[in-house]
Amino acid sequence: MSTLPAPPRPKRKKIWVDYLVQFRWIIIVFLALPLSCVIYFLSYLEERKTEKKPYKQRQKEHEENVHKVVKRLRQRNPFKDGLVCTARKPYIVVGMRHVDYKRARHFEVDLSPFNNVLDVDRDRMVVKVEPLVTMGQLSRITVPMNLALPVVSELNDLTVGGLINGYGIEGSSHIYGLFSDTLVSLEVVLADGEVVRATKDNEYSDLFYAVPWSQGTLGLLVSAEIKLIPVKEYMKLTYKPVRGSLKELAQAYADSFAPKGGDPKKVPDFVESLIYTPTEGVFMTGDYASKEEVKRKGNVINRVGWWFKPWFYQHAETALKRGEFVEYIPTRDYYHRHTRSLFWEMKLILPFGDQWWFRWLMGWMMPPKISLMKITQGEAIRKYYHDMHVIQDMLLPMHKVADALEFLHREMEVYPIWLCPHRLFKLPVKTMVYPEPGFELDPKQGDTSFAQMFADIGVYYAPGPVLRGEEFDGAVAVHRLEEWLIQNHGFQPQYSVSELSENNFWRMFDRELYDHCRRKYKAIGTFMDVYYKSKKGKKTEKEVLEAEAAIAETEYAVAEKEN
């Protein structure tokens, strides 16, 4: 049992929305799943059609589409048209936070044609892609070539644009950093219609560093060049069960990928840890393996991508009974191991979705598209999930993971918990997220002179009090979590449901470079400020325009003073 008992809470009376949520599976099974299957198939056909086009044709179409975006932007009348937004519908966004900012009057720019892989350059080890290319689409093209992105986010539907304008992470981030750290260049259409190419060392380097975490509020991303690395056909994955207190689990997590001796040969290619209870976890480390190695006698191959296979997090949990074991997983299957079950969210939505009979009969249609689930949830269910459910990621220094796990247990009791380490590099400029000042003077386990080791703690499920039928105030819990993060130099991705005030938002993130680029590239008055774009709740036209006008007045005053 945990030595950190959660506080007792009074029982909660069930309301009618509880029954809607309980039987939501009917809509998912008979509507969302079949429609999702059709959408996935049509998308696949469209992607294959595009892939067959020669490079020159793809590049020509890209340039034509960029020209259309420029033309559209220049048609905007800033005095009567609203702020610029993409024409993508709010429910399309993969994050579970409901996008409300488009309820205000806005000027739509259609980016839907930007969903192509433009070029795979083996010589430069770079891939050029448009922003709506998904992780599944990209890995399907590159992995057969024994190439991949250094950071491949797990869910198939995550897009390049979302991962660049927001944030992306994977089990390889303890080596390569966040998704934005693997970028080579960004092609951005600015507020005035100018098209620029930003790199870390050209005249637009400030924009290059400011775009990540900006949520598309500095310009419209129309393509990106991303690094590639050589990969092998399989992932050799070791599952190691660990038992102990939360502090002991946190230390075992650090030891799994950051040996205290600092021997780089002992650093695995991939790291992932799952905490199933306050006293039990499974720590996984992976290394690329060739098909020749896999063919050796006694090696076990597990094709986790097949539709009838147990959900990955449940398969990993068997290590608690089996003990440590090793198996080989096809590389692309491993990359997208959490897609079918959306980590473990599907257990709440489809309680029987992990049963063998359902996996065999309907598992091939999994997962339902998040956009369709958003459409079917309605306002009441949406509010219920905000109050009774947690979807949060905490990015914080590695040496504070133990304290964070204990805090989460006391406040939320959400299990499983996902742990994924990542480097936060010391960059030439201070971006919205940044290492602790002076970390290199007192390095902790995993730190180097050029990067501080951080951890992403993923909390995605119904809290323990909700599962036990007790009262739980999600807004209060999230508010406490955010304050704890601010006090401990942590960051929260903007896709999460946030209770941050504007003042606290900028206590969490650094705004200097962001504000500088907003002024320099004339984004103020054209694109919504990042806080108002990601803030919780409905944004009326009056609120949005008044906020943007106040920002513009302040920022232009600063600009005049600087000049």
Side-chain angles (χ1 to χ4, degrees), residues 28-29 33-34 36-37 40 156 304-311 336 339-342 346 350 352-369:
I28 301 298
V29 170
L33 274 180
S36 296
C37 192
Y40 282 128
N156 280 4
V304 300
W306 285 102
W307 76 92
F308 53 83
K309 287 283 188 175
W311 290 351
H336 304 299
T339 292
R340 272 190 300 129
S341 58
L342 298 178
M346 290 311 302
L350 287 179
F352 48 80
D354 58 343
Q355 299 298 304
W356 68 267
W357 58 269
F358 183 87
R359 296 199 312 268
W360 275 95
L361 291 175
M362 304 187 72
W364 55 277
M365 289 194 287
M366 294 286 284
K369 289 191 74 68

Side-chain angles (χ1 to χ4, degrees), residues 190-223:
L190 301 178
D192 60 1
E194 182 184 2
V195 182
V196 301
R197 180 176 181 269
T199 70
K200 64 178 61 178
D201 52 12
N202 72 358
E203 60 183 306
Y204 300 104
S205 60
D206 52 358
L207 183 64
F208 178 86
Y209 286 115
V211 165
W213 295 80
S214 70
Q215 296 293 308
T217 60
L218 296 174
L220 297 175
L221 178 69
V222 289
S223 78

Side-chain angles (χ1 to χ4, degrees), residues 246-396:
L246 287 173
K247 284 187 180 295
E248 290 169 332
L249 294 179
Q251 185 58 56
Y253 162 60
D255 293 341
S256 69
F257 68 92
K260 292 178 180 177
D263 185 354
K265 294 181 180 178
K266 295 182 179 179
V267 177
D269 292 329
F270 275 79
V271 178
E272 178 180 31
S273 299
L274 299 176
I275 308 297
Y276 290 96
T277 73
T279 58
E280 295 178 313
V282 176
F283 300 78
M284 289 159 278
T285 54
D287 289 288
Y288 288 111
S290 66
K291 56 185 177 183
E292 289 76 22
E293 177 185 341
V294 174
K295 290 177 181 178
R296 294 172 189 166
K297 186 177 180 180
N299 288 340
V300 176
I301 298 176
N302 183 7
R303 303 185 184 278
V304 300
W306 285 102
W307 76 92
F308 53 83
K309 287 283 188 175
W311 290 351
F312 182 78
Y313 82 95
Q314 293 177 335
H315 170 66
E317 190 177 10
T318 62
L320 294 173
K321 293 182 178 179
R322 295 173 58 181
E324 184 173 333
F325 67 96
V326 177
E327 63 184 15
Y328 292 81
I329 300 174
T331 296
R332 188 164 183 263
D333 286 8
Y334 177 76
Y335 284 157
H336 304 299
R337 60 199 178 278
H338 291 300
T339 292
R340 272 190 300 129
S341 58
L342 298 178
F343 284 89
W344 31 90
E345 281 289 308
M346 290 311 302
K347 183 63 178 173
L348 282 176
I349 299 170
L350 287 179
F352 48 80
D354 58 343
Q355 299 298 304
W356 68 267
W357 58 269
F358 183 87
R359 296 199 312 268
W360 275 95
L361 291 175
M362 304 187 72
W364 55 277
M365 289 194 287
M366 294 286 284
K369 289 191 74 68
I370 292 176
S371 56
L372 290 179
M373 289 195 290
K374 281 187 174 182
I375 293 174
T376 60
Q377 72 181 9
E379 189 68 25
I381 294 180
R382 173 190 163 201
K383 185 178 185 304
Y384 179 93
Y385 276 119
H386 281 185
D387 295 338
M388 304 291 177
H389 192 258
V390 178
I391 297 183
Q392 298 285 338
D393 278 273
M394 305 166 60
L395 280 67
L396 72 163

Side-chain angles (χ1 to χ4, degrees), residues 55 58-59 116-121 124 126-129:
Y55 165 76
R58 276 179 282 166
Q59 189 61 38
N116 301 311
V117 177
L118 298 175
D119 187 34
V120 179
D121 190 331
R124 294 175 59 218
V126 166
V127 60
K128 185 177 182 180
V129 296

Side-chain angles (χ1 to χ4, degrees), residues 20-21 108 320 377 430 503 557:
L20 279 181
V21 172
E108 291 189 345
L320 294 173
Q377 72 181 9
K430 191 177 183 182
N503 180 59

Side-chain angles (χ1 to χ4, degrees), residues 135 148-154 168-182 227-231 235 237 253 257 267-273 284-288 331 334-335 337 418-425 453-454 456:
M135 290 293 98
L149 302 182
V151 177
V152 184
S153 294
E154 293 89 348
I169 193 172
E170 232 291 24
S172 57
S173 290
H174 65 296
I175 299 173
Y176 300 104
L178 298 177
F179 191 87
S180 56
D181 294 312
T182 68
K227 295 175 185 175
L228 290 170
I229 59 171
V231 300
M235 186 66 62
L237 196 63
Y253 162 60
F257 68 92
V267 177
D269 292 329
F270 275 79
V271 178
E272 178 180 31
S273 299
M284 289 159 278
T285 54
D287 289 288
Y288 288 111
T331 296
Y334 177 76
Y335 284 157
R337 60 199 178 278
W418 187 63
L419 296 177
C420 185
H422 69 93
R423 276 177 167 164
L424 200 55
F425 291 98
M453 192 63 73
F454 267 55
D456 182 326

